[in-house]
Amino acid sequence: MISSVRGEVLEIGLDHAVVEVGGVGLAVQATPGTLARLRRGDQGRLATALVVREDSLTLFGFADEEERELFGLLQTVSGIGPRIALATLAVLSPDALRRALVDGDLTTLTRVPGIGRKGAERLALELRDKVVAPAASPATLPISANGANPRRDQVVEALVGLGFAAKPAEQAVDGVMAGDGEADASVLLRAALTTLGGKGR
């Protein structure tokens, strides 16, 4: 089990980063929020979980051990695999997720692509006693921007990869770009996720 990686960040994509560890570049799948904390060329550390399948080894990275634990906990529920678990953490912060599970907030849980009402009911039923609700409501992360050129198609593709339908993904990205046409792809992706999450399913 690879529980963490630390090293120079060689590359940051829309859904992954490459971290050099002992001369080997490890591709780590992660949420936009986690990737936003990394800087190419700097040293980075990620809590990680290795998912082993017959035909693949996939390393998932998280900002901290709390997110990694939630990632594993989500997958104890039938029908929830690593892809949906990561999408859940991309749409909902750990605090928002714990609160939704404890409160049985199906509306919030069904904002995650791939989780319908029955799946949300299963999550709340099986996990509400395994998490502790946060003391205060989670704060919304600020959306920042820089002067890089927007990359609409890449952001739409990343959203579709997380499970959103193409048309709503395109509408969300276009809406964000209308407000900030100079935002780079990672900023666009985070803002579009916020927009799509707020609409529910």
Side-chain angles (χ1 to χ4, degrees):
M1 178 67 175
I2 302 175
S3 62
S4 67
V5 298
R6 182 192 298 273
E8 181 182 352
V9 179
L10 302 179
E11 176 186 335
I12 302 175
L14 291 175
D15 60 358
H16 74 284
V18 177
V19 180
E20 184 175 25
V21 180
V24 177
L26 299 177
V28 185
Q29 303 292 309
T31 67
T34 297
L35 294 171
R37 303 183 183 202
L38 303 176
R39 294 291 180 269
R40 185 180 289 106
D42 287 354
Q43 292 289 306
R45 180 190 181 278
L46 295 171
T48 57
L50 179 64
V51 175
V52 179
R53 296 287 185 264
E54 288 185 2
D55 58 350
S56 66
L57 295 173
T58 307
L59 197 59
F60 293 88
F62 311 93
D64 52 37
E65 285 70 15
E66 177 191 22
E67 286 192 358
R68 183 183 64 201
E69 290 175 5
L70 286 171
F71 176 76
L73 186 63
L74 287 166
Q75 292 177 76
T76 64
V77 177
S78 176
I80 305 297
R83 179 178 173 183
I84 294 180
L86 191 67
T88 301
L89 293 171
V91 174
L92 302 174
S93 70
D95 281 355
L97 175 58
R98 290 199 306 270
R99 185 177 298 280
L101 291 171
V102 171
D103 294 345
D105 185 350
L106 304 185
T107 299
T108 294
L109 293 173
T110 54
R111 291 175 183 170
V112 179
I115 297 181
R117 185 171 183 83
K118 288 185 178 179
E121 290 173 346
R122 227 172 18 244
L123 280 168
L125 178 64
E126 295 186 25
L127 301 183
R128 65 176 44 168
D129 294 330
K130 298 180 180 179
V131 297
V132 178
S137 297
T140 301
L141 291 175
I143 300 298
S144 61
N146 59 43
N149 291 328
R151 295 183 289 176
R152 178 183 181 275
D153 291 344
Q154 292 181 355
V155 176
V156 170
E157 182 179 350
L159 289 168
V160 171
L162 282 171
F164 291 99
K167 187 172 181 179
E170 291 173 352
Q171 292 173 341
V173 175
D174 289 342
V176 174
M177 290 179 63
D180 187 357
E182 295 302 312
D184 71 6
S186 63
V187 172
L188 285 174
L189 182 57
R190 294 197 302 277
L193 278 168
T194 300
T195 299
L196 289 166
K199 291 180 179 178
R201 291 175 64 86

